[in-house]
Amino acid sequence: MDKYNVIFHIDEFAKGGMVLNNILNLILDMGKENLEIEMVANGDAVKVLIKGNEFQPMLEQLAPKKVRFCACANSLRNLKIEKEQLYDFVDVVPAGVGELVRKQASGWAYIRP
Amino acid sequence: MDKYNVIFHIDEFAKGGMVLNNILNLILDMGKENLEIEMVANGDAVKVLIKGNEFQPMLEQLAPKKVRFCACANSLRNLKIEKEQLYDFVDVVPAGVGELVRKQASGWAYIRP
Amino acid sequence: MDKYNVIFHIDEFAKGGMVLNNILNLILDMGKENLEIEMVANGDAVKVLIKGNEFQPMLEQLAPKKVRFCACANSLRNLKIEKEQLYDFVDVVPAGVGELVRKQASGWAYIRP
């Protein structure tokens, strides 16, 4: 069977717990072998991906399950956040919105908690 | 003509009125004979589907128009809400996000008010 | 190459700056020659499109880049806003949600900042 491809969009830091719980629940519901999941953070939600914050346990639980975490370079620049402050498993993309568009154009489902 | 299939996603109770108005406006715009509509509630938005709340008139207007209302079982469990507290026409799905993914994979449009 | 088609959905006035920045960043990332972009405003977000507000510089920068701005007629009526109060380049659509559904049914990507 083909995998389900899903991109989660978060642009509010306050939605961090909700999004990560959504991702965990999706994996529990559909099985990680059937899923390819990516989370794109832009706006102040890039702070969800800063090392040592409250989301560390959830992120470290999800990253080994092949969830890809992306941060928007424009947002990092606006907020003066350096790549080194982010978890090592985070990918920086030039523009979060560009990533969301390319993935949807390739047939990925979009969820914006 | 094929029907338009649309899934509405709500995960904030405060968005209840907005989502239900959106659904009503969509039906008025496109005609219910041309639409298949589902609303998936997760997070604290499952409370929109508890019997006797402020949304009862809108929900009872929409349910007979073949709008399907789904509540996320994970969210109900977290909030200690029993299925019996929800309107009789509500379907409980194992995970709201799983439902959103499956429907989009089948070509449904996604709207997140 | 085919263009990427993208519809942005905004239904909260407070998200005005975020959405317009997202659109600008998308154009910078992918190039306007590769994009067709539309923003649909409903709810109180139609106020983003009222002449003379804080968003005028951004809107006047984006409109000539072939970004189409649409306001929901239902929302305008509810908020007693006349078409004449909106920027000249704004199109009024019968229902914002109907526009979002039709565009997605034609393969447009959906982003809800």
Side-chain angles (χ1 to χ4, degrees), chain A residues 7 9 97 100-105 108-113, chain B residues 6-9 22 104 108-113, chain C residues 5-11 26 38 40 42 96-97 99-105 107-113:
Chain A
I7 194 156
H9 179 201
V97 282
L100 294 170
V101 167
R102 288 183 182 93
K103 283 291 191 286
Q104 286 190 69
W108 288 49
Y110 171 90
I111 298 183
R112 198 288 200 187
Chain B
V6 188
I7 194 155
F8 283 85
H9 179 201
N22 278 189
Q104 286 190 68
W108 287 49
Y110 170 90
I111 297 184
R112 198 287 200 188
Chain C
N5 299 313
V6 188
I7 195 155
F8 283 86
H9 179 200
I10 174 171
D11 65 6
L26 182 63
E38 182 170 317
V40 173
N42 64 350
V97 283
E99 181 69 12
L100 294 170
V101 168
R102 288 182 182 95
K103 283 291 192 286
Q104 286 189 69
W108 288 49
Y110 170 89
I111 297 184
R112 199 288 199 187

Side-chain angles (χ1 to χ4, degrees), chain A residues 50-70:
Chain A
I50 291 180
K51 275 183 254 188
N53 65 16
E54 68 201 88
F55 302 114
Q56 184 159 355
M58 280 288 281
L59 287 166
E60 291 185 342
Q61 184 182 356
L62 291 170
K65 294 189 200 297
K66 307 288 185 203
V67 178
R68 183 185 185 212
F69 293 96
C70 295

Side-chain angles (χ1 to χ4, degrees), chain B residues 13 46-57 59 87:
Chain B
F13 180 78
V46 294
K47 295 182 185 172
V48 169
L49 299 171
I50 291 181
K51 275 183 253 189
N53 66 16
E54 67 200 89
F55 301 114
Q56 183 159 355
L59 288 165
Y87 294 96

Side-chain angles (χ1 to χ4, degrees), chain B:
Chain B
M1 192 188 84
D2 276 357
K3 287 194 181 188
Y4 289 96
N5 299 313
V6 188
I7 194 155
F8 283 85
H9 179 201
I10 174 170
D11 65 7
E12 299 168 21
F13 180 78
K15 283 280 186 175
M18 174 73 87
V19 171
L20 297 177
N21 262 307
N22 278 189
I23 294 174
L24 188 60
N25 283 333
L26 183 62
I27 293 171
L28 292 172
D29 184 44
M30 304 185 79
K32 79 175 157 71
E33 68 281 8
N34 301 314
L35 287 163
E36 193 162 351
I37 298 176
E38 181 170 318
M39 187 191 91
V40 173
N42 65 350
D44 77 351
V46 294
K47 295 182 185 172
V48 169
L49 299 171
I50 291 181
K51 275 183 253 189
N53 66 16
E54 67 200 89
F55 301 114
Q56 183 159 355
M58 279 289 280
L59 288 165
E60 292 186 341
Q61 185 183 356
L62 290 170
K65 293 189 201 295
K66 308 286 186 202
V67 178
R68 185 186 184 211
F69 293 96
C70 295
C72 172
N74 295 312
S75 305
L76 294 174
R77 195 166 47 245
N78 289 342
L79 296 166
K80 303 188 194 315
I81 298 169
E82 302 294 326
K83 184 176 178 1
E84 290 65 38
Q85 296 173 253
L86 307 179
Y87 294 96
D88 295 341
F89 52 75
V90 174
D91 290 326
V92 175
V93 294
V97 283
E99 180 69 11
L100 293 171
V101 167
R102 288 182 181 94
K103 283 289 191 289
Q104 286 190 68
S106 301
W108 287 49
Y110 170 90
I111 297 184
R112 198 287 200 188

Side-chain angles (χ1 to χ4, degrees), chain C residues 49-84:
Chain C
L49 299 172
I50 291 181
K51 276 183 254 189
N53 66 15
E54 66 201 89
F55 301 114
Q56 183 159 354
M58 280 288 281
L59 287 165
E60 291 185 342
Q61 185 183 356
L62 291 170
K65 293 189 202 295
K66 307 286 186 204
V67 178
R68 184 185 183 213
F69 292 96
C70 295
C72 172
N74 295 312
S75 305
L76 293 175
R77 196 166 45 246
N78 290 342
L79 297 166
K80 303 188 195 316
I81 297 168
E82 301 295 327
K83 184 177 178 1
E84 290 65 36

